Amino acid sequence: MAEKKKRTKKWIQPHHKVVVPVLRFILAPFICWLYGLKVEKFKEENGRQYLVLSNHQTGFDQFFPSLAFEQHLYYVASEDIFSMGWLSDVIRWIANPIPIKKQVTDIKAVMSCMRVAREGGSIAIFPEGNRTFSGKTVYMNPAIGGLAKKLGLPIAFFKIEGGYGVQPRWSDVRRKGRMKAYVSCVLEPEEYKSLSNEELYQRICKELYQNEANSQGTFVHKKSAEYIERVLYVCPHCGITHFESNGETFRCTSCGRSAKYLPSKEISGDFSFRYMLDWYEYQEDYINQLNTAELTQAPLIKDTCSLYSVELYKGKRCLGEHVELALYGDRIEVSGDFRETFPFADVETITILGKNKLDIYYHDMVYQIQSDKRFNALKYLNLYHRYKNLTTEVENGSFLGL
């Protein structure tokens, strides 16, 4: 007798329909209280499948659409949450999210989305792939237009407002303030089937755009400026440097100039920037003026970190607990407990996970750099992309990775 073909286990499991609603019932009041959040229930759901697309502001964003929808949503999630050993197994069992490699073309993730859709599930994606450091919606991969067309599901646009005020990506504390989350509109397949992938992509960008670099609302905490050095690394008076924060204030360690981060999200002090977005865009302009070929002899800056190798979807192994990173215009050098050089020419991509973890995709390996809470990973990402923009033909020559 011929051996029977092994059946592929379904992505959608019956227990998802039980476990997730129970967790929602238990956690919803706590999450709403924690973030000062008001979620509008999506009353037009009617048991249909959806592709839910949302902007991305806080570390808890993946919970918010699930509070608006009755059905279980299968989230597309960064590979990092699948590399945490037993905890990753628990997450898979509860919700079975769809893994994706950040900032690279991941055909497997696309196939997994199509598989979930065929099985009757709804899919939730944050097209930015990154939380904003500045308050303004960041770059979205144009591939989201083609994926949406392939899935052919009604697109529910989910808006999160106030998240940058309550907890900026660079901060560890939640401020006292107000957030809201809701489905802003639904785009039916018959409405977008005649659009090109690029036209649909532009529509998605328009619907999810959010700019919270303004004084709307107040967000209060006595440590409102702490860890702002995770996003700031260019002083208008000193160039690339380190900052340090304490409570509501922060300062440049080179020149000593300081400022205060106000409940209105404004910056007040020795610098001319009013909002974080102003400083963030100045920082990008500064990097986009650099000629990386002239910055290869001496490091622009150094940091002390830990280095790990990541076996995707399994776990991590520490290569060196105390290593020194040196950033050059064309490479990152690692010395100390472990020695390695990452030439930008040979690096596939660099990404930031969470607030300040740095992943380097190099020679079929993924290396993760972790440091203390004050580590700034953004400068490494930005310099890498500046190098790539100068040495390869790219459509968007000013894009620096976020």
Side-chain angles (χ1 to χ4, degrees):
M1 182 184 292
E3 186 178 344
K4 290 184 178 180
K5 187 177 180 180
K6 186 177 179 180
R7 295 182 65 182
T8 302
K9 183 179 178 181
K10 285 193 173 184
W11 198 283
I12 299 175
Q13 295 296 309
H15 69 265
H16 297 159
K17 295 182 179 180
V18 178
V19 176
V20 173
V22 170
L23 289 176
R24 181 192 299 132
F25 177 78
I26 296 172
L27 295 176
F30 173 71
I31 293 171
C32 291
W33 168 81
L34 195 66
Y35 281 86
L37 173 69
K38 180 181 179 181
V39 179
E40 295 182 10
K41 287 285 188 180
F42 182 43
K43 297 179 180 179
E44 292 77 39
E45 187 173 350
N46 298 324
R48 295 200 300 164
Q49 285 179 263
Y50 288 90
L51 171 61
V52 182
L53 301 182
S54 175
N55 63 317
H56 203 1
Q57 295 187 336
T58 80
F60 256 58
D61 285 355
Q62 67 272 20
F63 294 98
F64 303 157
S66 294
L67 301 183
F69 284 78
E70 290 296 329
Q71 63 185 295
H72 176 50
L73 303 176
Y74 291 87
Y75 287 86
V76 174
S78 166
E79 74 273 6
D80 194 53
I81 72 165
F82 300 92
S83 305
M84 301 186 297
W86 67 267
L87 184 56
S88 297
D89 293 336
V90 172
I91 293 172
R92 285 192 186 95
W93 186 84
I94 291 174
N96 207 12
I98 301 165
I100 189 171
K101 297 177 184 177
K102 292 183 71 172
Q103 303 299 326
V104 297
T105 301
D106 193 342
I107 301 300
K108 188 175 180 180
V110 173
M111 300 304 293
S112 296
C113 287
M114 296 178 68
R115 177 180 166 188
V116 171
R118 285 195 302 268
E119 292 182 14
S122 290
I123 300 161
I125 302 176
F126 298 95
E128 293 166 270
N130 278 286
R131 283 179 278 155
T132 174
F133 274 109
S134 68
K136 180 181 175 182
T137 302
V138 300
Y139 171 84
M140 300 181 198
N141 192 322
I144 187 62
L147 175 60
K149 291 286 288 288
K150 284 181 181 294
L151 295 175
L153 300 175
I155 302 173
F157 292 103
F158 194 80
K159 292 294 290 290
I160 300 171
E161 298 177 358
Y164 182 76
V166 170
Q167 189 174 25
R169 183 177 183 178
W170 45 264
S171 176
D172 277 357
V173 300
R174 290 173 299 278
R175 298 104 201 282
K176 189 176 181 180
R178 294 294 178 187
M179 287 182 63
K180 66 177 181 178
Y182 58 96
V183 174
S184 59
C185 70
V186 174
L187 187 63
E188 299 291 346
E190 54 267 26
E191 296 180 77
Y192 66 75
K193 66 180 181 181
S194 62
L195 300 179
S196 67
N197 291 352
E198 172 63 22
E199 289 171 332
L200 181 54
Y201 167 69
Q202 293 299 332
R203 175 69 183 272
I204 291 169
C205 291
K206 178 182 177 181
E207 294 293 344
L208 296 183
Y209 178 80
Q210 186 81 2
N211 187 352
E212 297 192 3
N214 52 51
S215 300
Q216 186 175 5
T218 56
F219 304 89
V220 181
H221 198 283
K222 62 183 180 180
K223 297 182 179 180
S224 60
E226 284 202 2
Y227 307 125
I228 205 168
E229 56 266 53
R230 290 169 173 165
V231 60
L232 298 181
Y233 65 86
V234 177
C235 172
H237 306 283
C238 308
I240 295 177
T241 185
H242 288 104
F243 288 83
E244 63 179 18
S245 60
N246 182 39
E248 299 175 325
T249 63
F250 61 97
R251 60 185 287 273
C252 169
T253 59
S254 296
C255 67
R257 289 178 172 86
S258 64
K260 187 175 183 179
Y261 191 83
L262 304 177
S264 61
K265 296 177 287 184
E266 292 175 281
I267 296 169
S268 175
D270 297 334
F271 304 99
S272 60
F273 309 108
R274 185 178 179 187
Y275 297 107
M276 180 57 70
L277 179 61
D278 302 327
W279 202 324
Y280 188 87
E281 290 181 340
Y282 166 83
Q283 199 161 258
E284 289 197 320
D285 289 342
Y286 180 94
I287 297 302
N288 276 321
Q289 298 302 313
L290 296 180
N291 182 352
T292 57
E294 298 175 351
L295 305 172
T296 61
Q297 300 304 309
L300 283 78
I301 204 161
K302 294 182 177 181
D303 290 288
T304 301
C305 307
S306 298
L307 183 68
Y308 296 82
S309 64
V310 180
E311 190 173 358
L312 291 179
Y313 316 126
K314 291 185 178 180
K316 304 172 187 177
R317 180 170 63 92
C318 184
L319 301 176
E321 290 189 358
H322 303 285
V323 301
E324 184 178 75
L325 295 187
L327 176 62
Y328 295 82
D330 64 343
R331 66 194 185 278
I332 297 171
E333 289 188 357
V334 179
S335 59
D337 292 352
F338 184 86
R339 304 185 71 87
E340 181 63 89
T341 298
F342 300 109
F344 289 159
D346 300 325
V347 170
E348 181 183 3
T349 193
I350 292 178
T351 66
I352 296 177
L353 300 173
K355 299 177 177 70
N356 63 346
K357 289 186 291 186
L358 194 72
D359 272 12
I360 301 175
Y361 291 73
Y362 177 67
H363 286 177
D364 298 322
M365 293 282 292
V366 180
Y367 295 88
Q368 186 168 103
I369 293 166
Q370 298 183 23
S371 187
D372 63 25
K373 290 189 173 185
R374 301 187 184 278
F375 175 61
N376 183 299
L378 186 61
K379 57 182 177 284
Y380 294 90
L381 176 77
N382 289 168
L383 258 293
Y384 165 77
H385 278 275
R386 175 58 178 165
Y387 172 89
K388 287 294 189 180
N389 291 342
L390 290 174
T391 57
T392 60
E393 292 184 5
V394 294
E395 293 182 8
N396 184 358
S398 63
F399 175 62
L400 294 178
L402 285 177

